[in-house]
Amino acid sequence: MPKNEVVLRVGGAAGDGIASTGESFAKICSRSGLHLLAYNSYQSVIRGGFIYLQLRAGREKIYSHGNKVDFLIALNPLEFQRNIVDVVPGGAVLYNSDKIKPDSDTIPKDVILCPLPVNEILKDIGRNPILQNTVALSSLVQLLNLDVDVMNGVIRDYFGKKKQSVMDINLKVIEAGYDYAKSNLPDFDFDLNPDYNIKRPVLTGNQALGFGSIIAGCKFYCAYPMTPASSILHYLIAQSKKSGMVVKQAEDEISVINMAIGSSFAGVRSMVGTSGGGFALMTEAIGLAGQTETPIVVINSMRGGPSTGLPTKTEQGDLFQAIGASQGDFPKVIIAPSTIEDCYYSIIESFNLADQFQIPVMVLSDLFLSEHMESIVDLDFNSTIERGEIVTSNDSDKLYKRFKYTDNGVSPRAFPGTSNTVFQASSDEHDDYGNIISDVFTDSETRIKIMLKRMRKMKFIEEQLPPVKLEGPVDADLTIVSWGSTYNVVHEAIQILQNNSKSVNHLHIKYLVPLQKGIKEILSKSKDTLIVEANYSGQLSKLISMETGFQINHTLFKYDGEPFYPEQIIDKVEDLI
Amino acid sequence: MVVEPIKIEEYKSEITPTWCPGCGDFAVLRGIHTALARLKIKSENVVISSGIGCSSNLPGFVNAYGFHGLHGRSLPIANGIKLANTDLTVIATGGDGDGYGIGLGHFIHSMRRNIDITYIVMNNQIYGLTTGQASPTSERGMLTKSTPSGLLEVPVNPIALALISGATYVSRGFSGNADHLSSTIENALSHKGFSLVDVLSPCVTYNKIQTYQWFRDRVYTLEDEEHDTNDLKQAISKSYEWESKIPIGVFYKADKPTYDGDEPALQDGPLVNQPLDTGKNIAKQLLDEFT
Ligand SMILES: Cc1ncc(C[n+]2csc(CCOP(=O)(O)OP(=O)(O)O)c2C)c(N)n1
Ligand code: SF4
């Protein structure tokens, strides 16, 4: 039976054009109606260094970038050697045979060599080292029986804005590569079952977060560059003219979040994005947002810690940092989106929660979720924008009480410029008018009242958030607990385990603060429990035990910087049941 | 026709200042009240941000919106407010520790932006609220609670920093000369772009050296001299006068493009007035870019 799914790896050094090759192939797949998921494993060197992009595509929804590869495009001899061990039997390596001379002793048997004599293929066209990538890609399109016209279209769009002559050369290269593969390379038994009438959007998590913020009516985004959050900044600034969003790179993360709090105080939906180190600098101001009851959305796209840690690798190590961000107690929400679609919806929801409850909302993504590309089915644009209670004028002769004591703890907000609503927002403790009660006047009675008012919000937030949902059979032999970006890979592992007659269900947690309801009820009925987390200490498992008293039995922690593979989860489960 | 002047009283809040009697900050407060009244800016269109310190309590004493934020962060808050609503008059305030110490980076970068806000620093060359430690403008050798054998650092020169960092209205006031101070603040508020008013505002409790008398013996007003406020080099040289003669008044003034004026996303007017559904209206188009 022909294979209906393909895993491609492009391996090379930074600067070899891996990302653009991957992006082009992603577009070719998405315009062929295929689903895909791609992960770029890179290091923070601009040139040199070992990097690869791995992309898995097929007609059905794809949940991970796969482990072993069907096709390897090796861009230099070192990467040829390094990656060939991951090619499946019957899989192939495409490489520029002018540059790479394989040593036949080290080639695993069953791996098919597909040499591409690039100079010969391009002899009438041109000599640019980067063209070898296009030759390899068009050969692959042929080997996978995909429509070469789709690739032409992708290249046309890519170069359309640049130079016509460059585009023409590339189109010729595509034709040459495709024809070469057709007459010289063996046939492979793939039928990806393309549907050229379907075009699937392909987004990274960061693009989905940015896109979501535009739909949510965010008008101020502030950031200081930091991997892996920077591409939110890049996406939003590119859309700024259309979206009408002020996108500001500030001098440091302290300024970033304070500017955003200032802008939100003045009435504009505001968001910031960073990674762990920048988030650490923001923490004092997260408490400021809590204390002044100023809505703010803070994205922390986690990378490997501690300290500068692994700047270009993924981890889920900042949960406790987010929970503990800033001194004192104040109402807040921490959300961890699970998928690309969920990034989009989570941001919209975060803005609504921030505005309705006048609180900081922290969104925990990670490098894998933020930077990997994935095809999506569709997104709903009709979500409502909930700005919460806003005072638009005060006609009474009474002074406006910005922090009025209310049943749900939420006091209607007024923006500067609204008649008769002048007030003070203060980081010092204050009364319901906003007048400070700290220092000289410390007034413990008022302190308790205002503290209770703010903290009352948590109960209403908790009520508004949906309880956890168990996926899979209730009476399974094992429950896997996960959070954030591991949703997809756990989901895929469980599917495979089910096909092997293992009965496993899945409890994925999205809301970390307040911790989602229903966890203990479900887990206490589970036959056995396993938590999967990309960190060293099992932060969620500790949080669950702290909040619910429930102790999860088994753990699978990973902190080598690479995302989980389904096989790692499957192996662990097979040890257990 | 006699126009009823807006009274200074209208800009006073209900809260009585808690500063020590004689604190220089009273004159700054009075100066802000007076300047707002003279310029007839409605209370509801004024926002004053501050950090933490004795001086940073000032917003609470003005009948205007106040944002009393974190130590050193009054400028980022003010930047954000201005970008969100360019119709507002935005004033940032605080002390020398707040603005020239912990918040120094924001000071320089806000000036580089020439964003249209006014920054009023109550410079008492000491940490008042924390009871008398050295500040970034304390003189070398000064004996303070944290420097019992004398401070080993030279002071920051805020005027010189402002001049080389892009501020377009750079001035100094003195709490012992209230009339001059209020008109300096008034002109700073009318200026389009980043304006600095560094105020020599004695701390009568913790700074026993730079007292009112110490300043009275030294200050002179630039307006009484042949000082050309268009001349940056002359301004820089004036900014180095300190030991025996201390200039107050406007060092430098220029008409330059502002950040808020040139930001592309602000060309349709204040951000806060823009429709929330811009994104929804272009959602399909934005999603198509991903295919
Ligand atoms: C992050 C942080 N560090 C330290 C403090 C303590 N603190 C409060 S005010 C202040 C210095 C006050 O000096 P200055 O800004 O010159 O104002 P003044 O009281 O003299 O008006 C310090 C160090 C704080 N509030 N926050
Ligand atoms: S301690 Fe100094 S700065 Fe603070 S109020 Fe008293 S005199 Fe003013």
Side-chain angles (χ1 to χ4, degrees):
Chain A
M1 212 171 70
K3 270 194 166 180
N4 58 7
E5 241 186 51
V6 65
V7 179
L8 165 71
R9 183 182 293 182
V10 188
D16 279 347
I18 293 176
S20 59
T21 308
E23 231 165 84
S24 300
F25 189 62
K27 291 220 152 158
I28 294 167
C29 293
S30 83
R31 294 183 189 187
S32 307
L34 302 177
H35 271 295
L36 66 100
L37 193 150
Y39 177 63
N40 202 350
S41 173
Y42 67 103
Q43 288 166 353
S44 68
V45 277
I46 303 306
R47 282 204 149 267
F50 165 48
I51 62 171
Y52 68 80
L53 178 134
Q54 189 159 313
L55 187 151
R56 183 165 154 218
R59 191 61 191 271
E60 300 297 323
K61 175 78 187 157
I62 303 287
Y63 291 99
S64 78
H65 52 295
N67 199 354
K68 298 287 175 192
V69 304
D70 299 304
F71 290 95
L72 169 67
I73 296 180
L75 299 178
N76 64 42
L78 195 64
E79 296 325 319
F80 182 99
Q81 234 30 77
R82 210 196 302 256
N83 289 296
I84 201 161
V85 292
D86 288 334
V87 179
V88 296
V93 197
L94 287 82
Y95 60 99
N96 182 347
S97 53
D98 303 330
K99 275 183 20 189
I100 301 175
K101 308 286 176 205
D103 169 2
S104 51
D105 296 345
T106 61
I107 296 170
K109 63 173 179 19
D110 300 337
V111 169
I112 299 160
L113 294 187
C114 296
L116 300 167
V118 172
N119 288 339
E120 172 66 22
I121 297 172
L122 298 185
K123 67 176 185 301
D124 303 325
I125 304 172
R127 270 172 177 253
N128 176 336
I130 210 83
L131 292 177
Q132 69 170 5
N133 300 5
T134 313
V135 173
L137 207 52
S138 53
S139 305
L140 183 67
V141 164
Q142 197 281 325
L143 300 182
L144 291 172
N145 302 312
L146 292 172
D147 186 350
V148 70
D149 264 350
V150 175
M151 179 165 180
N152 289 332
V154 168
I155 295 299
R156 256 188 226 110
D157 287 351
Y158 185 78
F159 288 107
K161 293 168 208 122
K162 298 186 184 172
K163 269 174 79 182
Q164 177 77 33
S165 58
V166 183
M167 184 173 91
D168 290 343
I169 290 176
N170 273 275
L171 292 176
K172 281 190 200 142
V173 174
I174 293 174
E175 194 184 349
Y178 188 87
D179 290 348
Y180 178 84
K182 197 168 188 169
S183 353
N184 299 283
L185 298 182
D187 283 340
F188 290 85
D189 199 12
F190 276 87
D191 183 7
L192 300 179
N193 189 14
D195 180 342
Y196 299 106
N197 296 317
I198 302 175
K199 281 185 178 183
R200 300 202 183 279
V202 177
L203 285 75
T204 65
N206 277 350
Q207 286 171 328
L209 292 166
F211 183 44
S213 74
I214 294 175
I215 303 306
C218 171
K219 296 278 186 219
F220 187 73
Y221 181 74
C222 200
Y224 183 83
M226 188 167 190
T227 303
S230 301
S231 52
I232 306 171
L233 173 68
H234 304 159
Y235 175 71
L236 288 175
I237 190 65
Q239 305 301 341
S240 165
K241 282 214 184 74
K242 277 176 263 170
S243 65
M245 188 188 297
V246 170
V247 179
K248 177 83 196 91
Q249 175 182 343
E251 62 271 24
D252 56 42
E253 286 88 349
I254 298 178
S255 187
V256 162
I257 185 160
N258 279 281
M259 277 199 203
I261 289 172
S263 123
S264 173
F265 168 76
V268 168
R269 281 195 152 185
S270 306
M271 179 168 89
V272 301
T274 184
S275 188
F279 184 83
L281 291 179
M282 293 182 176
T283 52
E284 190 189 16
I286 288 174
L288 173 69
Q291 173 75 326
T292 57
E293 307 195 36
T294 311
I296 178 95
V297 176
V298 180
I299 299 172
N300 175 357
S301 179
M302 300 174 285
R303 65 193 211 186
S307 193
T308 305
L310 304 172
T312 59
K313 299 283 157 190
T314 198
E315 195 164 285
Q316 297 179 305
D318 292 359
L319 176 57
F320 280 173
Q321 179 178 213
I323 292 174
S326 213
Q327 63 273 28
D329 291 309
F330 55 94
K332 60 191 158 200
V333 168
I334 301 177
I335 298 185
S338 54
T339 61
I340 305 283
E341 286 94 337
D342 199 32
C343 283
Y344 169 83
Y345 293 115
S346 294
I347 279 295
I348 296 173
E349 184 184 13
S350 297
F351 274 104
N352 286 345
L353 285 167
D355 265 356
Q356 279 177 287
F357 293 99
Q358 305 175 13
I359 50 162
V361 175
M362 291 167 259
V363 180
L364 293 182
S365 176
D366 57 36
L367 182 136
F368 175 71
L369 181 56
S370 278
E371 296 203 332
H372 88 268
M373 280 186 284
E374 197 179 318
S375 56
I376 56 164
V377 179
D378 215 350
L379 294 175
D380 176 12
F381 302 140
N382 295 318
S383 44
T384 49
I385 294 178
E386 306 271 5
R387 291 235 57 188
E389 287 180 78
I390 290 167
V391 176
T392 47
S393 71
N394 176 19
D395 304 327
S396 84
D397 47 2
K398 289 215 191 91
L399 274 180
Y400 166 60
K401 283 188 181 168
R402 166 64 186 93
F403 304 103
K404 191 175 167 183
Y405 304 119
T406 57
D407 289 343
N408 66 356
V410 179
S411 325
R413 281 170 92 197
F415 304 145
T418 310
S419 72
N420 236 344
T421 62
V422 160
F423 70 93
Q424 303 293 312
S426 182
S427 66
D428 271 86
E429 192 57 286
H430 42 261
D431 63 15
D432 46 348
Y433 291 102
N435 297 329
I436 65 178
I437 59 154
S438 50
D439 291 337
V440 187
F441 306 115
T442 302
D443 166 352
S444 17
E445 207 180 305
T446 310
R447 154 69 173 185
I448 292 169
K449 264 177 97 172
I450 195 85
M451 193 75 177
L452 288 174
K453 169 201 119 70
R454 281 192 300 265
M455 294 313 293
R456 266 201 297 280
K457 295 177 189 176
M458 284 313 278
K459 181 173 153 254
F460 292 86
I461 294 169
E462 240 174 84
E463 278 171 13
Q464 185 165 321
L465 300 180
V468 275
K469 265 208 295 248
L470 185 70
E471 288 181 20
V474 191
D475 58 350
D477 294 326
L478 179 74
T479 302
I480 299 183
V481 183
S482 62
W483 65 286
S485 68
T486 54
Y487 174 83
N488 273 346
V489 69
V490 172
H491 182 85
E492 179 173 8
I494 290 178
Q495 280 185 339
I496 297 169
L497 284 160
Q498 265 156 4
N499 293 341
N500 300 347
S501 330
K502 299 270 183 194
S503 173
V504 180
N505 57 25
H506 187 189
L507 190 68
H508 192 81
I509 298 167
K510 173 170 177 178
Y511 304 94
L512 287 327
V513 171
L515 188 62
Q516 216 164 345
K517 289 169 295 201
I519 295 173
K520 188 176 185 179
E521 290 73 4
I522 289 172
L523 291 184
S524 52
K525 286 187 204 123
S526 297
K527 290 190 189 151
D528 204 357
T529 49
L530 165 70
I531 190 148
V532 173
E533 289 191 67
N535 60 44
Y536 172 84
S537 60
Q539 300 184 8
L540 177 63
S541 107
K542 288 203 167 85
L543 179 67
I544 290 175
S545 119
M546 201 171 93
E547 292 281 324
T548 70
F550 189 88
Q551 213 72 42
I552 292 174
N553 272 344
H554 307 284
T555 59
L556 178 58
F557 301 148
K558 184 166 157 66
Y559 44 91
D560 62 355
E562 290 303 320
F564 277 101
Y565 294 104
E567 289 77 3
Q568 292 168 315
I569 297 165
I570 293 166
D571 288 351
K572 178 77 191 181
V573 172
E574 285 178 339
D575 278 352
L576 294 175
I577 55 170
Chain B
M1 196 181 77
V2 183
V3 182
E4 192 65 32
I6 302 190
K7 292 199 199 73
I8 289 180
E9 309 309 313
E10 291 180 24
Y11 292 93
K12 290 188 181 166
S13 79
E14 316 261 292
I15 313 287
T16 317
T18 46
W19 293 314
C20 308
C23 175
D25 299 352
F26 282 103
V28 179
L29 178 62
R30 178 87 186 164
I32 292 175
H33 290 151
T34 310
L36 289 173
R38 284 202 204 132
L39 294 169
K40 303 188 178 64
I41 308 175
K42 280 170 116 182
S43 275
E44 70 196 37
N45 292 327
V46 180
V47 187
I48 308 181
S49 73
S50 69
I52 298 295
C54 296
S55 42
S56 288
N57 288 340
L58 181 140
F61 313 136
V62 183
N63 179 27
Y65 295 94
F67 195 103
H68 185 184
L70 299 173
H71 188 37
R73 317 302 167 200
S74 69
L75 279 171
I77 292 284
N79 275 269
I81 294 170
K82 188 69 190 185
L83 291 174
N85 189 348
T86 42
D87 282 349
L88 298 171
T89 296
V90 181
I91 307 171
T93 58
D96 41 301
D98 198 75
Y100 306 149
I102 190 167
L104 182 73
H106 311 311
F107 177 52
I108 293 174
H109 291 285
S110 298
M111 294 189 289
R112 285 178 51 226
R113 280 171 211 133
N114 193 30
I115 187 164
D116 185 18
I117 58 185
T118 296
Y119 187 31
I120 304 174
V121 181
M122 287 154 265
N123 183 352
N124 55 17
Q125 299 171 260
I126 198 84
Y127 281 11
L129 190 68
T130 47
T131 69
Q133 300 84 358
S135 103
T137 50
S138 297
E139 304 279 324
R140 189 170 201 280
M142 190 173 182
L143 303 178
T144 73
K145 257 191 194 165
S146 58
T147 58
S149 20
L151 174 65
L152 297 177
E153 288 150 313
V154 297
V156 158
N157 181 337
I159 301 288
L161 265 179
L163 291 168
I164 61 167
S165 303
T168 50
Y169 180 100
V170 181
S171 68
R172 181 188 280 142
F174 171 40
S175 290
N177 189 343
D179 290 345
H180 178 265
L181 177 58
S182 45
S183 55
T184 306
I185 294 176
E186 182 185 343
N187 291 333
L189 288 176
S190 312
H191 175 74
K192 261 232 149 313
F194 189 97
S195 49
L196 170 71
V197 188
D198 176 69
V199 187
L200 307 170
S201 177
C203 168
V204 294
T205 308
Y206 296 111
N207 189 338
K208 303 295 186 191
I209 296 173
Q210 278 79 27
T211 60
Y212 284 97
Q213 195 54 49
W214 190 91
F215 286 116
R216 278 203 190 98
D217 292 343
R218 290 168 175 79
V219 296
Y220 71 95
T221 45
L222 287 168
E223 288 78 9
D224 296 339
E225 303 263 311
E226 298 249 309
H227 173 65
D228 179 3
T229 57
N230 296 315
D231 184 342
L232 183 63
K233 283 200 181 124
Q234 198 187 339
I236 290 175
S237 119
K238 284 279 173 199
S239 75
Y240 277 82
E241 289 183 10
W242 185 261
E243 302 295 320
S244 53
K245 282 177 75 200
I246 301 178
I248 60 170
V250 181
F251 288 75
Y252 178 67
K253 195 173 168 352
D255 192 12
K256 297 247 173 84
T258 63
Y259 194 99
D260 40 310
D262 283 0
E263 161 62 48
L266 293 180
Q267 300 310 309
D268 294 333
L271 216 45
V272 69
N273 298 340
Q274 301 309 312
L276 280 171
D277 56 1
T278 327
K280 282 193 185 181
N281 295 335
I282 54 168
K284 181 82 182 60
Q285 180 196 346
L286 292 182
L287 190 65
D288 282 348
E289 288 177 13
F290 293 118
T291 54

